[in-house]
Amino acid sequence: MIIDRFVALATAHAPGQEVRQAAGDVGNLMRGGKLSGRPVDFSHGDVDAFLPTPGASDHFLEALAAGGRQAYTEYRGTADIRAGLSEALATFTGAPVSADDGTIVTPGTQGALFLAVASLVSPGDQVAIVQPDYFANRKLVEFFGGRPVPVTMDYLCGSDEAGLNLAQLQAAFEAGARVFLFSNPNNPTGAVYSEREIVEIARLAAAFDVTIIADQLYARLLYPNEAYAHIRAAGLPAERIITIMGPSKTESLSGYRLGIAFGAPAVIERMEKLQAIVSLRAAGYNQAVLRTWFREPAGWLEERILKHQAIRNDLLGVLRDGGLATREPQAGSYLFPTLLPLAVELADFVRLLRHQAGVTVTPGTEFGPYPNSIRLNFSQDHTEAVAAGQRIVEMARRYRR
């Protein structure tokens, strides 16, 4: 059983792990020659293309100089940093955040997700998860012995809504699911849940006594004229929701491995106890970088959003012109195109794309039953991202069934 659980984690397609994949017999499948162009890794954001928040390194060095006073913080994070963050997060999400018993700093948002799922899911528990959604959601639920209950999202519905099947969500709750785990904006599609969808999710959760884990990592990277509704401001009791955010993506602070979870005090306490034996705390010196979060120079965030929007628009145009159905992301930096019908398996196409075209992507099968889709993180150099998108289209045409 323990062997099966670790086999199911399957990290071969996790960002940074692709370099360990062998080419295998990909040469036997190859059609045509290699495509020229600078290699682009769409499996994660390029932190060289977008530099970290101004002042981040200064705060890190100040923490380093402080030594033990900053290195050995409370397990849930430095008290004054949590206080500042709680005020900013309350303003941003529209509901109070307790710095003392409702906030924890974690080693990345991935750390927060691990702790939250571990604190709420026991063997046999049913957990409602969205398809498609972040690949770790299903894997973590299964690792802790839970049973994922898929709720589909028609992300190509052509409306301003995310397309969540609310009838399926209600059915999952009626069948016994008492935890709902989802990302908003959605990873991998960039869809943002409408206010109507968020209000209905909150209503159903309240009616069935469900606890929600809301991954809002990309909530700040919201494109102009798009609306965002925070689930924690939709009338749910505070003890029924955990929100996860962090500065790793929009703010390009990935290397500092910082995440924040806030909400239900009882769950936060469990998360702290578990963190105390898993990692002790988020790296002490790194925590100081959080002093820049929500305190960026005037206009900095708006400029970063516009730069991402420009890449999104150009890359989206390339993919759609090539016949790849793709939703226009309302937020975040992900595209989830549907490929032309392939003459090879998706896993082989992904390898061919990397070895023949110099383009690394994440297969859609990581996010649910999507054997004809790939995920791209377009937070990249603008010119190179568009060029890589053109190579994806060319490869999709070459290997069309």
Side-chain angles (χ1 to χ4, degrees), residues 21 74 78 153 156 182 197 302 322 344:
Q21 295 181 26
E74 299 174 51
T78 304
M153 185 177 74
L156 292 174
F182 77 117
E197 289 172 306
E302 291 76 11
V344 296

Short mmCIF file of all heavy atoms in Angstrom, two decimals, residues 21 74 78 153 156 182 197 302 322 344:
data_model
loop_
_atom_site.label_atom_id
_atom_site.label_comp_id
_atom_site.label_asym_id
_atom_site.label_seq_id
_atom_site.Cartn_x
_atom_site.Cartn_y
_atom_site.Cartn_z
N GLN A 21 14.08 13.15 -17.44
CA GLN A 21 13.42 12.23 -18.35
C GLN A 21 14.34 11.90 -19.52
O GLN A 21 14.89 12.79 -20.16
CB GLN A 21 12.13 12.84 -18.88
CG GLN A 21 11.08 13.09 -17.81
CD GLN A 21 9.82 13.67 -18.41
OE1 GLN A 21 9.52 13.48 -19.58
NE2 GLN A 21 9.07 14.40 -17.61
N GLU A 74 8.69 31.69 15.42
CA GLU A 74 7.61 30.78 15.79
C GLU A 74 7.35 29.84 14.62
O GLU A 74 7.61 30.18 13.46
CB GLU A 74 6.32 31.57 16.06
CG GLU A 74 6.40 32.57 17.19
CD GLU A 74 5.12 33.39 17.28
OE1 GLU A 74 4.02 32.79 17.29
OE2 GLU A 74 5.22 34.63 17.29
N THR A 78 7.08 34.69 11.89
CA THR A 78 7.39 35.87 12.70
C THR A 78 6.12 36.66 13.00
O THR A 78 5.34 36.98 12.10
CB THR A 78 8.38 36.78 11.96
OG1 THR A 78 9.54 36.01 11.62
CG2 THR A 78 8.78 37.96 12.81
N MET A 153 -15.54 21.15 -14.83
CA MET A 153 -15.60 22.57 -15.16
C MET A 153 -15.53 22.71 -16.68
O MET A 153 -14.53 22.30 -17.29
CB MET A 153 -14.45 23.34 -14.51
CG MET A 153 -14.54 24.84 -14.72
SD MET A 153 -13.21 25.74 -13.87
CE MET A 153 -11.83 25.34 -14.92
N LEU A 156 -14.30 25.76 -21.52
CA LEU A 156 -14.44 26.27 -22.89
C LEU A 156 -15.89 26.64 -23.19
O LEU A 156 -16.33 26.65 -24.34
CB LEU A 156 -13.95 25.22 -23.90
CG LEU A 156 -12.44 24.94 -23.88
CD1 LEU A 156 -12.11 23.78 -24.82
CD2 LEU A 156 -11.65 26.18 -24.28
N PHE A 182 -10.24 23.76 -4.32
CA PHE A 182 -10.22 24.30 -5.68
C PHE A 182 -9.30 25.51 -5.76
O PHE A 182 -8.97 26.14 -4.75
CB PHE A 182 -11.63 24.68 -6.15
CG PHE A 182 -12.17 25.97 -5.58
CD1 PHE A 182 -12.47 27.04 -6.42
CD2 PHE A 182 -12.41 26.13 -4.21
CE1 PHE A 182 -12.99 28.23 -5.92
CE2 PHE A 182 -12.93 27.32 -3.70
CZ PHE A 182 -13.22 28.38 -4.56
N GLU A 197 -21.12 32.01 -9.18
CA GLU A 197 -20.57 30.70 -8.85
C GLU A 197 -20.02 30.67 -7.43
O GLU A 197 -20.24 29.70 -6.69
CB GLU A 197 -19.47 30.33 -9.86
CG GLU A 197 -20.00 30.01 -11.25
CD GLU A 197 -18.89 29.85 -12.27
OE1 GLU A 197 -18.06 30.77 -12.40
OE2 GLU A 197 -18.84 28.80 -12.94
N GLU A 302 0.51 46.96 -11.58
CA GLU A 302 -0.23 47.23 -12.80
C GLU A 302 0.65 47.01 -14.04
O GLU A 302 0.20 46.44 -15.04
CB GLU A 302 -0.77 48.66 -12.79
CG GLU A 302 -1.87 48.92 -11.77
CD GLU A 302 -1.37 49.04 -10.34
OE1 GLU A 302 -0.13 49.13 -10.14
OE2 GLU A 302 -2.21 49.05 -9.43
N GLY A 322 -3.59 28.47 -34.99
CA GLY A 322 -3.15 27.12 -35.33
C GLY A 322 -4.21 26.06 -35.12
O GLY A 322 -3.94 24.87 -35.29
N VAL A 344 0.13 10.18 -31.92
CA VAL A 344 0.97 9.58 -30.88
C VAL A 344 0.32 9.83 -29.52
O VAL A 344 -0.56 10.68 -29.39
CB VAL A 344 2.39 10.18 -30.89
CG1 VAL A 344 3.10 9.86 -32.19
CG2 VAL A 344 2.36 11.69 -30.66
#
